[in-house]
């Protein structure tokens, strides 16, 4: 979706959520810094040929905070709606960092609204739950020590590639599909509405 080759939206796959609460901005930012240290995919960049690289020391990520306390209700709502539209359709550059965006609005009566936008190029559905749980632990207890993560995504990819590369079944499968490709039918021509 992010490459502009389809006429629908040009938005990459991402998760956008808003969380209402009463969060402390400095504590939330410190917890996220710990998240980046713990979860290496939060420090990932995508290289021109599609490989991933983990930044050892990315620039510090500063949580943007917008103070809407005391602002008239209609102006508050318009600001929140504008940020929702912007963040829910944003397409970060594939070769840049970070592949996430956070934004915290301070609202009246000690309330906050946290906007979180995660590019799905760096996370899968299962990991989203893990990410928010760890972030909550670091927020609730800034001294929290979690067990180290024993296996990285890179470890998994390297091990899987070695298994596939050294497998007779994989070689037979590759030969089979290389012969079949010229005989496969074209994709179905499905009707689509191009209206936004």
């Amino acid at each position: 979706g992010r490459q502009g080759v389809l006429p629908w939206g040009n938005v990459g796959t991402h998760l956008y959520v808003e969380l209402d609460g009463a969060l402390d901005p400095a504590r939330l930012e410190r917890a996220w810094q710990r998240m980046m240290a713990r979860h290496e995919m939060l420090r990932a960049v995508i290289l021109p040929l599609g490989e991933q690289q983990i930044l050892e020391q990315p620039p510090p990520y500063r949580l943007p905070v917008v103070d809407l306390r005391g602002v008239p209700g209609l102006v508050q709502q318009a600001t929140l709606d504008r940020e929702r539209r912007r963040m829910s359709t944003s397409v970060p550059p594939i070769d840049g960092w970070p592949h996430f965006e956070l934004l915290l609005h301070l609202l009246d009566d000690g309330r906050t609204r946290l906007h979180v936008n995660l590019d799905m190029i760096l996370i899968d559905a299962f990991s989203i739950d893990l990410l928010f749980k760890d972030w909550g632990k670091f927020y609730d207890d800034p001294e929290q020590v979690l067990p180290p993560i024993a296996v990285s995504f890179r470890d998994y990819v390297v091990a899987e590639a070695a298994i596939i590369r050294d497998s007779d079944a994989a070689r037979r499968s590759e030969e089979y599909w290389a012969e079949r490709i010229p005989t496969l039918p074209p994709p179905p021509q499905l009707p689509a509405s191009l209206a936004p």
Side-chain angles (χ1 to χ4, degrees):
R2 76 174 72 241
Q3 296 172 337
V5 296
L6 298 173
W8 304 287
N10 296 323
V11 176
T13 304
H14 68 116
L15 169 75
Y16 173 73
V17 294
E18 296 179 12
L19 304 169
D20 287 343
L23 298 169
D24 175 82
R27 191 170 181 164
L28 189 64
E29 182 179 281
R30 280 193 304 273
W32 188 257
Q33 295 290 351
R34 292 193 64 200
M35 290 293 295
M36 291 192 323
R38 177 171 174 76
H39 295 285
E40 63 184 18
M41 290 307 291
L42 294 175
R43 304 186 316 267
V45 294
I46 310 300
L47 301 176
L49 295 179
E51 298 104 344
Q52 298 171 352
Q53 179 182 11
I54 306 302
L55 301 174
E56 288 300 319
Q57 294 292 326
Y61 185 80
R62 299 294 174 222
L63 173 66
V65 178
V66 177
D67 191 347
L68 295 178
R69 294 174 294 187
V71 173
L74 290 176
V75 176
Q76 263 190 25
Q77 192 58 52
T79 302
L80 295 171
D81 291 346
R82 183 177 60 248
E83 287 303 329
R84 177 181 301 121
R85 281 190 304 275
R86 181 187 67 78
M87 290 180 73
S88 66
T89 59
S90 69
V91 183
I94 194 76
D95 57 349
W97 181 86
H99 290 281
F100 58 83
E101 181 182 5
L102 310 175
L103 174 63
L104 185 68
H105 282 101
L106 305 179
L107 305 173
D108 294 323
D109 303 320
R111 295 176 303 118
T112 58
R113 177 162 302 165
L114 176 63
H115 306 256
V116 180
N117 190 14
L118 299 171
D119 193 325
M120 295 302 285
I121 199 139
L122 61 88
I123 195 167
D124 61 22
F126 176 79
S127 301
I128 291 167
D129 184 54
L130 175 65
L131 185 88
F132 279 99
K133 283 181 179 174
D134 282 0
W135 195 9
K137 290 174 186 175
F138 288 142
Y139 180 86
D140 290 340
D141 179 3
E143 304 304 316
Q144 175 80 37
V145 176
L146 298 176
I149 297 173
V151 178
S152 72
F153 181 68
R154 180 189 183 282
D155 296 334
Y156 173 82
V157 169
V158 168
E160 181 187 44
I163 291 168
I164 291 173
R165 183 178 54 242
D166 298 335
S167 162
D168 288 335
R171 280 191 285 278
R172 285 193 307 274
S173 180
E174 186 176 350
E175 290 169 4
Y176 170 81
W177 285 108
E179 291 176 15
R180 282 288 318 272
I181 287 174
T183 65
L184 293 175
Q189 298 299 313
L190 300 174
S193 169
L194 299 182

